[in-house]
Every structure is written in C-alpha cells, then in structure tokens.
Amino acid sequence: MNCPECAKLFDAYLDAQLSGTLQLEFDAHRVRCSRCQQHVALLESAGNVIATTDDAPPIAADFTASVMARIESRRRRSTLVRLAIGVGALQAAAAVLFGIWFYTRPAATQPTALATTAVGVVGPAELAEKPDAPAIKELIVERIEDRMWAMHSAGVSLTSDLVNLARYLNILLPDEVVRDSVKMADSSPWETLWNTLLPAPVEDTPEESTPANDVYSI
Amino acid sequence: MADETTPVSAVIMPRDEEARLIARARRGSADAFRQLVDAYKERLFAFVWRVVRNHHEAEDLSQTAFIRAYEALGSYNEQWAFSTWLFTIAYRLCVNHVRKKRPTLTDVDFSRIGGFEEDAPHTVTGTEEAARLKSLIWNAVEELSLPQKTAVVLFYREGKSCEEIGRILGAPTVTIKSHLHRARAKLRAALEVEVSEDWSSLPFDTEARSAG
C-alpha cells in the first residue's frame, strides 16, 4: 500500500469501518510511514478536540422558564383566538336562528328583548364560566398513567383491559407490559378504571407471592 | 472518531423515560416538556452557538427551536431519536437565520457570515502547545462551510451517525460522508502547515508559513 491509497482509507479508519486485511494493510503502512502517521494523528487530534472542547458560553439561568413562558403565552393567544372564533360563530348562528324565528313568528311580540336573549345565551361570559374540560381530562389521564407505571414498577401484571384503556388514553406503556397482560374476561373496563383511581388497599396479612404471579385483581 | 472519544454532549436521559415524557408532553403536560427542555437545552445551545457564533442569537434560536418542537410534537416520529428531531428544527432555524443576515447568498460559503467572530472559542488548557492546537483546530472548523461545520460538530460532539446527520441536514447519507471527507481534508491541510517539519514537502509557499 502506498500513501495515496492509505489516504483514501483515512475516513474509513476514523469511522471505525476498516476491518480484516484492509485494516492490516493500513496499519502496516502507517507503522513505517511517518507522513501518514502524522496525517492520521492530526485528524484524530482534531476529532478529539471537537468532541471534548466545552467552551460554549453559559446558557441563561432562566432559559427554561423563558421557553415555558413563551409557550404559555402562545398557547393563551391561540386559545383566545379559538374562543373568539367560536363565540363569533355561535353568535352568528344565534342571530340566524333569531332571524328565522323573527320572520316566521306568528305575531310580533318583543323582538328587541328576544334578540338580546338569543345572543346572551351564548355570550362570551357564559363560555368563560365553563370548566376547562381538557385540563380536567389531562389530570385524570396523568393519575391513571402514574398508577399504571407504579404497578409495573412493583412487578404487578396489568390486565389486557387496562392495557386497552391505556391505548385509548394514549398512555405509553413498555412493550413487555403489553405482551404480559393477562386477559380477565369478566372484568368491566369502567370498574377497572374506578379501581385504578382508588389508592392501593393496605392488607393486614399480605400473602406471599412472586412478582411474576401477581395479577391486579378487580 | 466519535466512538473512541467521550463527547461532551453525552446522552443523559434513558430512552424509555424520554419516551414517557414525550407522550405526556403530547397530551399537553407543560411539566413533562419542561423536563425535556432541561435535558437538552445545554446541548442544543452549544450546537446552535457553534453555528451562529453569537451568544444572544444562539439563545434566541434555541428557545425558538424548543417552542417549535412543542407546537409540532404531534408530528414527531419515534423512529428517530428526539435529539435528532430537535436538532433538525434548530439547524433549519440556523440556516434561515444565516440566510437572513446575508440574503444575497445562495450556495456560497456561509462560514464568514457575520457573528462568528463575536464569540471566539475560549481556550482553557494547561500548556501553550495544547492551547495552540485547540485554537488552530477550531479556527479551521470556523473556515468550513455551514453544512460541513454542522456535520463535523454533530458527528464528533453529538456522536450522531451519518444517517442521523443526513436527517438533520436534509441530505442523503452519502452527501454527509462527503461533507465529513472534505471537512477532514480541510482540517488536515490547515493543521499540516503548522506542524510539518519538512517545509519542502508543503503545498503552501513560505509566505503562508510566515503568516501562520
């Protein structure tokens, strides 16, 4: 092997992709060629320096807080926009319904007051008073997820109904949990959910059992 | 070689724990995403800083990358490492940022875009010789084109494979290998001038040697 041939193998050597006779020939040339030795050493040094230099300036202490604040700000703006669009659409629908009622009503009564009421039923104040359903759902899902992971960590097998419930709620479970879930044909998924939310009961005389045989009883 | 050194940016979070946080963040958990930000902010900032070479801009771009990641979590594919996806977002922001600073540039070398001289590498080493070597190497890295420099940083500092780097840069794996090959050739040429003892074999003239 000569120097140009050796140079063509520098990348493969640095990427640890040389093997067999090619590696042997490469090493044999390098041992007796100071120039190629130097080239490889330069590249290895460059790689080491690039990999290990820790000279970036310090990141701001409030970096994470700033990120989360910007996310929250954008989320609130997005919610207000969706709310405004939703309110506008509902008000428009209410106005259309009122218009249909007004022109098809049997006799003229108090159009001004009724129009105000129709719009007021779906006014922004009432919408704002409604509970934040997505947040409540998220809290429930998180509690279920924590309980399932605690059971898994304790070596308790989950029923296939619980696994299906996890899938439905988009809760991520390890593959081995899904594989090892035990089918409990008579269990009710809603009863399972309720029992999952309850704290684990404290038994006076815990029975001896191995983690592999523990099954969550319903 | 990325597998024989200990990159500064080593993986610090187990994969299953990361997957769980991502799943929770997808469902809207701010706390889960906050943990992801804390896990990756140092690495991402260091990478962006290496590209744009400006502290303030690097922080702003890094924050924007996390925000974009949060808003696009629904499109994240678990096939790829979260860091690969995050760095892809950050790289594209860096490219757009660099292009905005020099809007007339198309396929020109980006390594001289404004900002890279503002934050020079800090050399903190024991010996003068080691400090000089480090300075030479980083100066040579700064002379690389943006894709070459990005490929080098991701390969050596982040331990990314050529396939993952290709994902981040939006280029085929063979192109990334070409970037690394050219970058190494440039680094070797830059360092050869300083360390070679046989001046008659150098491809450079003596004026260049004196200037070094």
Side-chain angles (χ1 to χ4, degrees), chain A residues 181-196:
Chain A
S181 63
V182 175
K183 178 66 176 177
M184 299 289 285
D186 297 330
S187 63
S188 159
W190 297 111
E191 188 177 348
T192 303
L193 171 62
W194 177 249
N195 289 332
T196 303

Side-chain angles (χ1 to χ4, degrees), chain B residues 155-187:
Chain B
F155 184 83
Y156 286 108
R157 290 188 64 82
E158 293 295 325
K160 294 292 183 186
S161 66
C162 290
E163 188 185 20
E164 289 175 310
I165 297 172
R167 174 82 178 171
I168 293 170
L169 269 61
T173 304
V174 65
T175 303
I176 302 305
K177 289 186 177 180
S178 175
H179 285 327
L180 286 174
H181 173 73
R182 294 178 190 277
R184 284 166 175 159
K186 288 182 184 178
L187 288 171

Side-chain angles (χ1 to χ4, degrees), chain B residues 34-96:
Chain B
R34 181 181 295 110
Q35 293 184 56
L36 288 170
V37 173
D38 282 335
Y40 285 102
K41 62 182 179 183
E42 305 279 355
R43 287 170 63 183
L44 190 69
F45 170 76
F47 167 71
V48 173
W49 178 74
R50 288 270 166 229
V51 174
V52 301
R53 306 299 286 171
N54 179 283
H55 191 167
H56 175 74
E57 291 173 0
E59 279 209 2
D60 187 63
L61 287 170
S62 300
Q63 288 194 15
T64 304
F66 278 114
I67 293 167
R68 296 281 177 88
Y70 179 81
E71 294 174 343
L73 270 175
S75 65
Y76 166 63
N77 186 346
E78 291 87 352
Q79 170 192 356
W80 299 97
F82 183 73
S83 60
T84 301
W85 184 67
L86 186 61
F87 277 59
T88 302
I89 296 172
Y91 176 72
R92 289 175 186 173
L93 287 171
C94 289
V95 169
N96 291 336

Side-chain angles (χ1 to χ4, degrees), chain A residues 34-109:
Chain A
S34 59
R35 184 172 176 81
C36 286
Q37 278 180 25
Q38 187 181 77
H39 288 171
V40 172
L42 285 174
L43 291 172
E44 286 180 325
S45 295
N48 290 337
V49 167
I50 294 168
T52 58
T53 302
D54 189 15
D55 61 348
I59 197 171
D62 63 346
F63 181 92
T64 303
S66 297
V67 170
M68 300 312 296
R70 287 174 66 178
I71 287 174
E72 179 60 23
S73 173
R74 290 165 74 99
R75 193 187 66 80
R76 264 193 249 114
R77 276 204 306 270
S78 173
T79 301
L80 283 173
V81 167
R82 285 201 302 271
L83 189 61
I85 292 173
V87 167
L90 286 170
Q91 287 182 330
V96 167
L97 287 173
F98 171 73
I100 293 172
W101 172 86
F102 182 80
Y103 286 106
T104 59
R105 71 194 194 286
T109 52

